[in-house]
Amino acid sequence: MTDSEMTPRLFAADAEIVRIGEGLLDHSLPKEHWTHEAHLAACLWLLHARPDIWPERDLPDIIRSFNAAKGGINDDSQGYHETLTQLYIQGVRAFMADLAPGMVLTTAVNALLESEIGRRDWPLTLYQRETLFSVTARREWVEPDLV
């Protein structure tokens, strides 16, 4: 099964999404719950509910800190990835701009997960694999090379 064929795990309630976002911030989220879906849910929740956090600036250190708190390593081959993080922030922002005002959080997150932007392989529609998974892309923002 390819990444684009994988069915995302959808959320049943807003409280699940809030727990993920708060668990990321306070490091209480179990490491095994930090999934692709959780990354996107946390990003949308931060943009929606935490105006004190500017994801483009703050999310890199939030993710690095969470990874370290869970025993992870942020280096040139694992852990935090700058280009993927910034790309998904841009994608989630663009997705949210098209949402109906007042949409329920769970509905919004599930719609994101079922959208093109929510796919695990979405970045590979914009980047060559070798570019996206380079040390440079992990360390700093790299512009898409397939658009």
Side-chain angles (χ1 to χ4, degrees):
M1 182 178 296
T2 66
D3 287 344
S4 63
E5 295 170 330
M6 293 183 73
T7 303
R9 185 188 78 77
L10 302 179
F11 293 91
D14 287 2
E16 272 185 276
I17 297 162
V18 172
R19 270 194 304 277
I20 287 169
E22 290 176 350
L24 170 64
L25 295 176
D26 69 11
H27 305 158
S28 65
L29 182 70
K31 181 179 179 177
E32 62 273 11
H33 293 185
W34 189 227
T35 62
H36 172 75
E37 292 87 354
H39 278 73
L40 294 178
C43 185
L44 193 144
W45 176 77
L46 287 168
L47 288 165
H48 170 76
R50 292 297 303 264
D52 59 313
I53 294 174
W54 181 30
E56 290 85 351
R57 179 195 64 209
D58 301 331
L59 200 50
D61 285 338
I62 289 168
I63 293 172
R64 284 185 194 104
S65 174
F66 177 81
N67 289 344
K70 298 300 172 182
I73 297 170
N74 299 297
D75 65 14
D76 289 345
S77 64
Q78 59 189 325
Y80 181 74
H81 191 296
E82 177 71 6
T83 298
L84 282 173
T85 299
Q86 296 300 331
L87 179 67
Y88 273 110
I89 293 168
Q90 291 173 28
V92 173
R93 277 194 187 280
F95 179 83
M96 288 178 68
D98 292 335
L99 292 179
M103 183 179 277
V104 174
L105 180 61
T106 305
T107 303
V109 168
N110 287 342
L112 170 63
L113 293 172
E114 292 181 315
S115 75
E116 178 181 356
I117 293 166
R119 291 182 9 217
R120 287 170 177 80
D121 65 349
W122 173 64
L124 291 171
T125 67
L126 304 168
Y127 290 89
Q128 294 178 58
R129 181 173 292 279
E130 54 274 5
T131 301
L132 186 60
F133 295 108
S134 68
V135 171
T136 301
R138 184 173 285 281
R139 289 182 183 175
E140 62 192 53
W141 169 253
V142 172
E143 291 290 331
D145 58 359
L146 290 180
V147 289

